[in-house]
Amino acid sequence: MDLPDSICTEVAILCYPDCQLAAVYGLTDLFRIAGEISRDRADGETTPAIRVSHWQLDAFGAEVVCTFDSHPGRPHRLGYVVVPPSLIVPSRMQPMQTLVSWLLAQHGNGTRLCSVCAGAFLAAETGLLDGRDVTTHWAFAAELAERYPQLRVDADRMLIDDGDVVTAGGILAWTDLGLTMVAQQLGPSIMLDTARFLLTDPPGRLQQPFIGFVQRRDHGDEAILKVQNWLQTTNARDHAIEMLAGRAGLGERTFQRRFLKATGLRLTEYAQHIRVAKAREQLETSRRSIEQIAWDVGYGDVSAFRRIFQRLTGLAPADYRRRFGAVLQDPEEPLVPTIP
């Protein structure tokens, strides 16, 4: 079905040597099914679709080329690029500098970098994972942390969404990644119907009736994209306009105008979304108190944190934890108490 560019989000899957083809074709099928469900629901009206393309080195190993396109005949505009699992252990993966350079170029254009399982090793070669929480297969976690000490490896988590970089854990975690993308682009209802059709569990963190913060990164403003990357890496702890305008190489008023145009949010609002997204992750996966979490994400005033969190998520932090917390609790040991 031919669809106009304006309603196609493109997911590029990188087919590197010895990658898991089940993930390549499984993701392709998953996105096609999601698109068909979305179209059937719309009853003939125009609906968003996820365009899928496959990319690999040419016969000379000199250039990365497209070998499959679900919606051919128009310029590529990659929203995501996925590095699938490897069928060989990381220590035997080949050096792939051409692919690394290609990944860096795509990310520089606003593409979100995603990896699954041992694909994290190829993604880590870009340096874009430095200073971030990332995940991979539990069997490779120690090696990933040793080889790339700048990473914070958390093998207990199935999927970590850090805005412009997303990492998924086990070799079949491509289903979690794919369904997460469907939820972000087509909505949580389509994601759940897709999971039901595939007879697979939806990602636990996305069974909620609202979607996490999805940053606009394909706007083409390189100065603003640079600031977005810095805010994500630092959890927006410092978002002073003067400092960020300097990082962008712009005057303050010009910076604010271009930031709003590119992201759709004012700087303070953008920083709040990043901080609340980090708080949501900690509420879902840790037993830390709400006060500790508020302080960790940059709020000295816990009352202000509660107000902002509820405004952005629709739930108070304690209610959010009760509803979506994944940490198993000893029935005789309460969670760390919080101030009412």
Side-chain angles (χ1 to χ4, degrees):
M1 180 179 179
D2 194 23
L3 296 170
D5 288 342
S6 61
I7 62 171
C8 278
T9 295
E10 184 169 0
V11 176
I13 304 175
L14 184 60
C15 305
Y16 61 91
D18 298 307
C19 73
Q20 184 198 43
L21 295 181
V24 174
Y25 294 111
L27 281 168
T28 303
D29 291 342
L30 184 153
F31 293 135
R32 176 176 176 174
I33 290 167
E36 291 175 350
I37 291 173
S38 177
R39 186 173 66 247
D40 290 345
R41 254 204 210 173
D43 195 23
E45 297 180 4
T46 300
T47 56
I50 295 178
R51 177 185 182 185
V52 183
S53 53
H54 299 172
W55 299 74
Q56 66 183 54
L57 287 169
D58 63 16
F60 303 100
E63 185 178 0
V64 179
V65 296
C66 180
T67 58
F68 167 81
D69 190 346
S70 64
H71 294 80
R74 72 198 76 188
H76 293 285
R77 189 176 182 182
L78 309 185
Y80 301 82
V81 59
V82 178
V83 184
S86 170
L87 287 179
I88 60 176
V89 295
S91 60
R92 295 174 56 193
M93 292 173 67
Q94 305 174 27
M96 293 175 267
Q97 187 54 49
T98 301
L99 299 182
V100 171
S101 299
W102 184 80
L103 289 172
L104 279 168
Q106 303 314 310
H107 183 269
N109 290 329
T111 302
R112 302 178 74 191
L113 173 62
C114 310
S115 69
V116 185
C117 193
F121 286 79
L122 177 53
E125 285 291 318
T126 66
L128 297 171
L129 275 58
D130 291 359
R132 300 178 188 259
D133 294 330
V134 300
T135 190
T136 187
H137 193 291
W138 59 266
F140 307 140
E143 184 176 352
L144 183 67
E146 181 179 357
R147 192 185 300 184
Y148 306 99
Q150 303 91 342
L151 278 55
R152 297 190 297 269
V153 181
D154 184 353
D156 292 334
R157 298 165 67 180
M158 183 64 75
L159 187 141
I160 298 178
D161 186 344
D162 201 34
D164 58 313
V165 171
V166 185
T167 53
I171 197 167
L172 294 180
W174 58 264
T175 58
D176 299 82
L177 176 63
L179 290 171
T180 297
M181 293 179 182
V182 170
Q184 292 174 345
Q185 299 301 323
L186 303 181
S189 180
I190 299 298
M191 180 273 287
L192 288 171
D193 282 353
T194 303
R196 291 188 187 103
F197 185 84
L198 295 173
L199 297 181
T200 189
D201 291 332
R205 68 188 294 271
L206 290 176
Q207 292 187 59
Q208 54 206 41
F210 43 83
I211 298 300
F213 177 41
V214 180
Q215 304 174 43
R216 289 169 52 181
R217 302 182 52 79
D218 57 356
H219 43 71
D221 191 327
E222 294 184 6
I224 299 304
L225 184 62
K226 179 180 178 181
V227 171
Q228 286 179 268
N229 292 341
W230 189 85
L231 286 169
Q232 188 68 45
T233 301
T234 61
N235 297 337
R237 296 190 69 88
D238 183 0
H239 56 277
I241 292 175
E242 181 180 3
M243 181 271 295
L244 294 178
R247 281 187 166 272
L250 301 171
E252 292 183 28
R253 293 183 64 180
T254 300
F255 169 72
Q256 292 183 76
R257 175 177 54 80
R258 283 174 55 174
F259 190 92
L260 178 59
K261 179 181 179 181
T263 67
L265 294 169
R266 300 186 186 280
L267 180 59
T268 298
E269 296 170 329
Y270 193 93
Q272 289 173 346
H273 276 285
I274 289 179
R275 290 177 171 190
V276 166
K278 291 294 181 183
R280 286 171 57 189
E281 291 180 4
Q282 293 195 38
L283 288 167
E284 292 168 4
T285 60
S286 81
R287 298 170 61 86
R288 304 183 71 199
S289 73
I290 291 172
E291 290 74 20
Q292 289 172 320
I293 292 173
W295 179 266
D296 186 60
V297 300
Y299 289 97
D301 184 339
V302 179
S303 297
F305 166 72
R306 293 176 191 272
R307 288 195 301 271
I308 292 169
F309 188 95
Q310 182 149 7
R311 175 166 56 81
L312 295 184
T313 68
L315 293 172
D319 293 334
Y320 184 93
R321 168 172 269 161
R322 279 191 290 270
R323 188 170 181 182
F324 302 116
V327 177
L328 295 178
Q329 180 181 349
D330 184 332
E332 297 185 359
E333 180 185 356
L335 289 169
V336 178
T338 61
I339 299 173

